[in-house]
Amino acid sequence: MKVLLVFGTRPEAIKLAPVIAELRQHGEIGCKLCVTGQQREMLDQVLDLFEIVPDYDLNLMQDNQSLNGLTARILEKLEPILAVEQPDWLLVQGDTTTAMAASLAAFYQRTPLAHIEAGLRTRNKFQPFPEEINRRIADLLADIYFAPTPTAKKNLLAENLPAQKIFVSGNTGIDALRLIQKKAFVWQDSPLQCVPQNARVILVTAHRRENFGDGIENLCQALGEIVACRRDVFIVYPVHLNPNVRLPVQRQLGKIPNILLTEPLDYAALVHLIERAEIILTDSGGLQEEAPSWGKPVLVVRAVTERPEAVEAGTVKIIGTDARRIVAETLRLLNDRAEYQRMARAVNPYGDGHASERIVNYLLGKPVTEFAG
C-alpha cells in the first residue's frame, strides 16, 4: 500500500506526527510525506520536534499570502507529485487551506482520499473562516472519513454520507500530546523561564481570521484590564506571526507588566505551559481538545465552536470577543473557587491516545473497534 500525506501547518503536523510514526511501524505500507509550507517557521518547529523529514517540500508560503494564491499554488505543485507517486491513499488532516486544496488535487487525479478529523461543523460558513468551508469541501471529496468523535460522525451521517465509510477514530492530537508528555522538558532553558513560580498563569492564543480587527483589539483591551485588576496574574501570550495579529498585540500589550509576549512556542513548550496554566483563553481548536486532559478551564473567544463535546462536558465555555465579557468570565474563574472547580475536571471526550493505531489498522483492513467518546 502506498500512502501520501500532505500537510502544511503546525496543527496538521502535530496531529499527523503520531499517524506517520504508526504508518512507519508497518513494512507493508510505503509512506511518503509532502509539506506545502503554508506556515513555514511554525511548521518547521514541529518537523524538528518529531524528527519528520518530508519527501517533498513545496515551500509555498509568501508574506501576507492570500487564500486564492495559496490554493492555486498548492493545486499546481501537487499535480505532478500525484502523477508520479500514484498513491493508493492520500491522507489530509483537518480544515486548513492545504487540506482543502490537496483534497481537490486528489479528486482531479482520481486519487482515493482519506480525511482525518472529518465531520467537525459549526454550520456557519464564516465561523471559523475559512476553515468551515475547507473541511466541508474535504468531506465532500473524501472516500474514507476518520471522525474524531461520535458527534462528528453524526454530522457526517446527517449530510447523507455513506455510513460504511465513516469510522470514529478519536483525535490524533491526543496521541501527539501523550508522545510529548513522555519527552524531557527543562523549563529554565525555555522562553518561559521568566514566568514567576507563584503566579496564577493565564495562557492566551488568538489568531483566527474572523477575529482580525475588532476581535483581537477587544481581547487585548480585556487582557490589560485583567492584569490591572489582579496583580497576582501573569499572562503568557505566544503571538502568531501574522501581522494582522502581531501588530495590534504588540501595540496594545507590549509594555504592560505581567504580560509576556513570546514568539510562537514550540509544541513541547506549549504542552508544558498548558500544564502550568490555571486558565486558557483561546480561539484555537487544538487547545480546546488538549487542555481538558489536565482539567484546565478553557474560555473560547469565538462566537461558535465546531468542538461542542467539551462545552457539553463543562470544561470549555464560549464567551465571544466582547471585552467586558472576557474580563468578567476570566475574573469569575479567578475569584470563584467553586466555579473554577466546576470547569476544572479532567474530562477529555476527544481521544484516548490510540487514534493513530485505529486509523492505520482500518486502512490495512484489520478488525478495529471505534472510539466510543
Side-chain angles (χ1 to χ4, degrees), residues 12-305:
E12 289 170 289
I14 290 169
K15 292 184 174 183
L16 286 177
V19 179
I20 294 166
E22 183 65 29
L23 285 166
R24 288 178 169 166
Q25 295 295 316
H26 297 266
E28 66 269 44
I29 299 177
C31 176
K32 292 288 186 73
L33 311 178
C34 174
V35 298
T36 65
Q38 178 179 337
Q39 294 176 347
R40 183 72 270 172
E41 182 178 336
M42 297 171 74
L43 171 68
D44 289 343
Q45 286 181 350
V46 181
L47 297 181
D48 292 342
L49 176 64
F50 288 101
E51 300 178 348
I52 296 171
V53 179
D55 301 281
Y56 299 95
D57 189 337
L58 306 185
N59 197 28
L60 296 179
M61 181 176 172
Q62 297 179 359
D63 289 340
N64 209 22
Q65 61 193 356
S66 72
L67 295 174
N68 289 336
L70 177 62
T71 300
R73 292 193 300 276
I74 293 171
L75 287 169
E76 180 182 16
K77 295 296 184 180
L78 276 182
E79 180 180 3
I81 294 172
L82 289 171
V84 169
E85 291 293 339
Q86 297 186 5
D88 297 299
W89 289 103
L90 187 145
L91 269 61
V92 296
Q93 192 282 328
D95 51 21
T96 67
T97 298
T98 287
M100 180 275 292
S103 299
L104 189 55
F107 168 69
Y108 287 157
Q109 293 292 116
R110 299 179 182 270
T111 300
L113 175 70
H115 185 199
I116 297 172
E117 201 178 84
L120 276 64
R121 297 288 185 272
T122 65
R123 310 208 182 279
N124 179 334
K125 68 180 182 180
F126 294 113
Q127 296 281 345
F129 174 83
E131 289 84 0
E132 177 71 8
I133 292 303
N134 284 344
R135 55 180 167 246
R136 288 201 217 175
I137 291 173
D139 284 338
L140 181 64
L141 298 171
D143 299 283
I144 291 178
Y145 307 88
F146 291 113
T149 65
T151 297
K153 180 177 182 176
K154 289 177 183 177
N155 290 338
L156 295 168
L157 292 172
E159 296 170 6
N160 296 316
L161 295 169
Q164 68 272 21
K165 295 184 178 181
I166 304 170
F167 181 80
V168 181
S169 61
N171 197 301
T172 61
I174 307 305
D175 299 17
L177 190 67
R178 295 195 175 190
L179 288 176
I180 291 302
Q181 285 178 295
K182 297 175 182 177
K183 291 178 176 284
F185 180 76
V186 181
W187 190 272
Q188 290 75 17
D189 294 339
S190 78
L192 305 172
Q193 57 183 311
C194 64
V195 176
Q197 288 294 317
N198 59 345
R200 303 181 73 178
V201 176
I202 298 175
L203 166 61
V204 178
T205 70
H207 67 276
R208 293 284 187 184
R209 286 176 181 264
E210 66 266 28
N211 280 340
F212 290 176
D214 289 345
I216 296 294
E217 296 282 356
N218 292 344
L219 174 62
C220 291
Q221 177 187 333
L223 297 178
E225 292 180 20
I226 290 166
V227 293
C229 292
R230 294 296 301 259
R231 300 291 182 174
D232 58 338
V233 165
F234 192 90
I235 291 174
V236 182
Y237 189 166
V239 185
H240 198 278
L241 299 176
N242 191 307
N244 292 290
V245 177
R246 179 157 291 222
L247 294 178
V249 170
Q250 293 286 357
R251 172 171 44 80
Q252 284 212 53
L253 303 178
K255 297 182 180 180
I256 297 181
N258 282 19
I259 296 181
L260 172 64
L261 304 179
T262 75
E263 295 299 310
L265 297 173
D266 66 58
Y267 184 57
L270 180 65
V271 166
H272 287 85
L273 181 56
I274 297 170
E275 190 173 10
R276 170 74 173 82
E278 189 165 336
I279 299 169
I280 315 292
L281 271 168
T282 187
D283 65 8
S284 163
L287 280 172
Q288 294 177 57
E289 297 161 350
E290 294 157 346
S293 291
W294 282 281
K296 305 294 182 175
V298 180
L299 300 176
V300 178
V301 287
R302 289 166 57 181
V304 293
T305 182

